[in-house]
Amino acid sequence: MRAISTFYVEKNQINDKNITVIGDDVNHIKNVLRHRIGDKIDICDNEGSRYFTEVESFFDDRIILHILGKTSVTTEMKTCVTLYQGLPKADKLDLIVQKCTELGVAEIVPVITDRVIVKINDSNRVNKVERWKKIASEAAKQSGRQKIPVVQDIQKLENVVENLSKYDIVIVPYENECEHTLKTELRALNGNNQNIAVVIGPEGGFSDKDIEVLVRNSNVRLVSLGKRILRTETAGIATVAMIMYEYEL
Ligand code: SAM
């Protein structure tokens, strides 16, 4: 029995009887997955609903799916987690995007902090962000999510801190923090429908200036992730996993 494929559409592609698939998904459904009339396909509207459909008809530029049923039983975490990731070297962010998508993150923002050594220019930034968006979409499909995490453009830390006040809490795992831990800060939050930001430093960690800029926000909490120093790609994944453990399992 073949696993049922999941695709994501905009609301305006859905009416009360059927769903119209357009764009790259047409070729993927028709020629890569080689679906036929009558095959079952799951469709998510990126707003939390999942539609059970079957292929009704093929056209050159679109596919019509007949809606068999709908559910709003979600695979999304109640807690909304945004990961601000200090831009790491090489293709580490590919792994971070994939694993944090599986773990339920809602948004990923690549951030230039003091010790980021990756050189970004207008030509490579577009390609990088497009690649990360594709990885997020594929990981969302594989893990059966109802929403594809939003991958934002690469931003500077000083521009990011202006928006941190919108979160209930901003968790900053800081390698020099000795007193507070992730556990104590998460336990201090009552209830679990929280809007949480996580800020992870790059390979070189946070500079004193990064921390000074971050702690200007009263909702920022510096936390330790334990006695060992985790790689930057481990720290974000581990932190999102522990938030998932605390609020979802
Ligand atoms: N340059 C730092 C050092 O060698 O001490 C290591 C930075 S670590 C590779 C990258 C990021 O992961 C840190 O900035 C922090 O956000 C997080 N991190 C890693 N281990 C941590 C720990 N034990 N406690 C808190 N944060 C940690």
Side-chain angles (χ1 to χ4, degrees):
M1 170 78 170
R2 178 160 68 174
I4 291 185
S5 318
T6 299
F7 289 87
Y8 301 83
V9 301
E10 299 303 324
K11 266 301 207 194
N12 61 14
Q13 293 171 248
I14 302 171
N15 65 38
D16 55 356
K17 287 195 176 44
N18 55 45
I19 295 174
T20 305
V21 175
I22 54 176
D24 296 346
D25 287 342
V26 173
N27 175 58
H28 196 73
I29 290 171
K30 206 190 289 184
N31 303 321
V32 175
L33 298 175
R34 307 179 71 76
H35 277 301
R36 294 288 169 263
I37 302 284
D39 279 4
K40 302 291 184 285
I41 291 180
D42 279 5
I43 294 289
C44 295
D45 63 3
N46 251 335
E47 292 179 13
S49 293
R50 180 187 292 272
Y51 295 81
F52 307 113
T53 76
E54 67 178 5
V55 179
E56 183 179 277
S57 50
F58 288 106
F59 298 88
D60 289 347
D61 62 345
R62 66 194 188 287
I63 298 173
I64 307 300
L65 304 174
H66 174 63
I67 296 174
L68 302 172
K70 172 186 176 184
T71 178
S72 48
V73 173
T74 182
T75 55
E76 295 303 306
M77 254 207 290
K78 287 197 194 78
T79 303
C80 182
V81 180
T82 300
L83 173 68
Y84 290 86
Q85 172 65 49
L87 196 56
K89 293 183 285 191
D91 54 1
K92 293 175 189 173
L93 197 59
D94 296 12
L95 177 78
I96 296 164
V97 168
Q98 185 187 63
K99 296 312 166 199
C100 289
T101 296
E102 293 168 45
L103 290 166
V105 79
E107 190 169 348
I108 296 172
V109 186
V111 181
I112 306 278
T113 62
D114 255 2
R115 293 181 185 162
V116 165
I117 50 178
V118 177
K119 290 292 166 258
I120 293 294
N121 53 51
D122 286 347
S123 67
N124 68 9
R125 75 185 304 147
V126 172
N127 298 338
K128 284 177 181 284
V129 174
E130 282 314 304
R131 189 172 82 245
W132 296 326
K133 286 177 188 272
K134 195 165 181 312
I135 291 169
S137 174
E138 287 163 359
K141 280 183 189 173
Q142 173 275 321
S143 55
R145 292 198 50 181
Q146 248 109 320
K147 290 183 181 176
I148 301 172
V150 176
V151 178
Q152 297 286 4
D153 190 4
I154 299 166
Q155 299 178 33
K156 287 194 175 128
L157 183 65
E158 53 269 26
N159 299 337
V160 154
V161 288
E162 293 155 15
N163 305 320
L164 293 181
S165 56
K166 69 184 177 186
Y167 298 100
D168 297 302
I169 188 171
V170 179
I171 299 277
V172 179
Y174 179 39
E175 54 274 27
N176 299 336
E177 172 59 33
C178 305
E179 189 187 339
H180 299 99
T181 69
L182 178 62
K183 183 189 286 187
T184 57
E185 294 310 323
L186 289 183
R187 293 281 154 88
L189 273 178
N190 48 8
N192 59 11
N193 294 346
Q194 304 292 345
N195 191 10
I196 297 178
V198 174
V199 189
I200 300 288
E203 291 88 348
F206 287 118
S207 68
D208 292 344
K209 182 167 159 284
D210 289 333
I211 295 298
E212 187 268 320
V213 161
L214 281 164
V215 297
R216 283 183 205 149
N217 289 276
S218 60
N219 57 350
V220 166
R221 298 288 180 276
L222 303 182
V223 299
S224 167
L225 295 179
K227 299 183 182 67
R228 294 170 297 283
I229 293 294
L230 309 179
R231 289 178 183 272
T232 184
E233 62 271 30
T234 310
I237 295 168
T239 303
V240 174
M242 288 186 271
I243 290 171
M244 182 185 98
Y245 170 82
E246 183 70 18
Y247 290 129
E248 189 175 53
L249 301 182

